[in-house]
Amino acid sequence: MTPLFAADPAAAFGQFVLIGLVSGLLYALIALGYTMVYGIVELINFAHGDLFMLGCFLSLEVCLLVGARTQSEAGTPAGLAAVALMLVAAPLFCAALNVAVDRAVYKPLRTAPKLAPLVSAIGVSFVFMGVGLFWKGATDVTFPDLLGPRVTDPAAAPPEPANLLDGTGLRFTFKDLMVVLVTLPTMAALTLFVRYTTLGKAMRATAQNPTAAQLMGINVDRVIAATFALGGALAGVGSVVYSLYFNTVNYQMGFQNGVYAFTAAVLGGIGNIPGAVLGGIMIGLVKTLGGAYIGSEWSEALIFAILVVVLIFRPNGLLGARTREKV
């Protein structure tokens, strides 16, 4: 039934807005990695979405290694240890892999025409997807629900998660809160890092003019490697949050989420950190509200129609023209 004919249309609309905001923040978390790399080396790293997928798979391996295999481990020492280890292992793994790809594939093409690294990034994306297919197979894999209520009787139905907005007609769980508490501080920390730290200033100098930055004594290759490491770490953090939120992973998830995240970065102004978050939130809202009120089959068409309209009037994205620096 369409939400327009729900018992409380206002509450239904508010619920879809909440769902859109949370899903948009998830896209934004992935989009931050896109925007960091593009902001420094102007490379659209199409492999970023599949790097995020591999981070999800590594997080699952960490869960299995620690022994947190089912929802019965939620809130237990094994479950908490698994979450903590995932938040360390996945960012380190994705950062190391991203830097390795930069050194092996993108660095030799630094002075080549822009089409060469772009096509190479597409190739790396397919390689990562093949690795994911080999790693976990072609079917969906269940991820342990370590943030839900603990299941004490495996034969019984899982209990409903606690509603933080109980009594308001809306539903907002600890998982939703986790997405907000991870994404917004990450954006703020990343903005402060780029703006005020020595490495952040070196990143901005490299983004403005790599040759001039090198003449000023900045090790441009090291700065670019640090950028790829940071972008990979963001993909790792996003993979942990996504896996704990949706509890299902598969080898194709990187493509779809990567497309949404890249679109979010472009919509907000690629190379602009707050723009990536704004773009992610807009896409999440359009996708959720469009699916609810128009039809899920029109959601993607609606997203890209809005993207085209925005780019016609603001070619640099919503916030791209308002900032002097790319990152």
Side-chain angles (χ1 to χ4, degrees):
M1 181 175 66
T2 173
L4 291 173
F5 300 106
D8 188 346
F13 177 78
Q15 186 62 54
F16 282 115
V17 168
L18 273 180
I19 294 171
L21 284 173
V22 172
S23 60
L25 287 174
L26 280 170
Y27 296 139
L29 201 52
I30 307 171
L32 287 173
Y34 273 109
T35 216
M36 277 299 298
V37 171
Y38 183 86
I40 304 301
V41 295
E42 296 188 351
L43 167 67
I44 300 172
N45 186 11
F46 282 112
H48 189 77
D50 296 290
L51 181 71
F52 154 81
M53 174 268 295
L54 293 179
C56 292
F57 283 5
L58 183 90
S59 300
L60 180 57
E61 293 293 348
V62 170
C63 285
L64 300 178
L65 183 67
V66 175
R69 298 172 180 271
T70 65
Q71 196 172 343
S72 61
E73 302 296 337
T76 64
L80 296 175
V83 173
L85 280 176
M86 281 189 290
L87 286 171
V88 174
L92 286 177
F93 169 73
C94 292
L97 191 55
N98 219 21
V99 172
V101 169
D102 172 54
R103 289 300 171 100
V105 180
Y106 303 141
K107 185 179 177 183
L109 300 174
R110 208 80 84 199
T111 56
K114 290 185 179 298
L115 193 58
L118 187 68
V119 172
S120 300
I122 295 173
V124 173
S125 171
F126 280 105
V127 170
F128 281 176
M129 196 180 293
V131 171
L133 177 61
F134 178 77
W135 193 348
K136 288 295 178 185
T139 57
D140 289 351
V141 181
T142 300
F143 197 94
D145 186 4
L146 300 177
L147 297 182
R150 187 181 177 192
V151 173
T152 53
D153 182 6
E160 287 291 323
N163 182 10
L164 301 179
L165 297 179
D166 194 21
T168 64
L170 302 176
R171 185 167 185 77
F172 191 79
T173 66
F174 280 110
K175 285 187 178 180
D176 300 317
L177 183 62
M178 170 196 68
V179 175
V180 176
L181 292 181
V182 170
T183 306
L184 294 183
T186 299
M187 183 201 73
L190 198 58
T191 302
L192 293 174
F193 173 81
V194 170
R195 192 169 296 275
Y196 295 111
T197 66
T198 302
L199 181 56
K201 291 175 183 176
M203 286 178 172
R204 287 190 287 153
T206 304
Q208 290 292 324
N209 190 324
T211 305
Q214 198 155 17
L215 290 173
M216 295 300 292
I218 294 174
N219 188 329
V220 171
D221 285 334
R222 187 174 297 174
V223 169
I224 292 174
T227 304
F228 273 89
L230 192 55
L234 289 168
V237 173
S239 69
V240 175
V241 174
Y242 183 97
S243 302
L244 290 171
Y245 189 84
F246 287 107
N247 305 120
T248 302
V249 295
N250 65 67
Y251 83 101
Q252 291 181 314
M253 61 186 288
F255 174 75
Q256 186 178 42
N257 288 290
V259 168
Y260 285 141
F262 173 65
T263 307
V266 174
L267 184 62
I270 192 162
N272 185 292
I273 294 170
V277 176
L278 177 62
I281 290 174
M282 283 193 64
I283 285 180
L285 288 173
V286 170
K287 184 172 184 289
T288 305
L289 292 174
Y293 290 95
I294 299 176
S296 58
E297 67 272 22
W298 291 101
S299 295
E300 293 184 356
L302 196 59
I303 289 171
F304 286 95
I306 291 175
L307 174 67
V308 170
V309 171
V310 168
L311 292 182
I312 287 174
F313 293 99
R314 298 185 68 88
N316 292 322
L318 291 170
L319 300 184
R322 296 180 183 176
T323 55
R324 295 181 180 179
E325 297 153 345
K326 294 177 181 176
V327 175

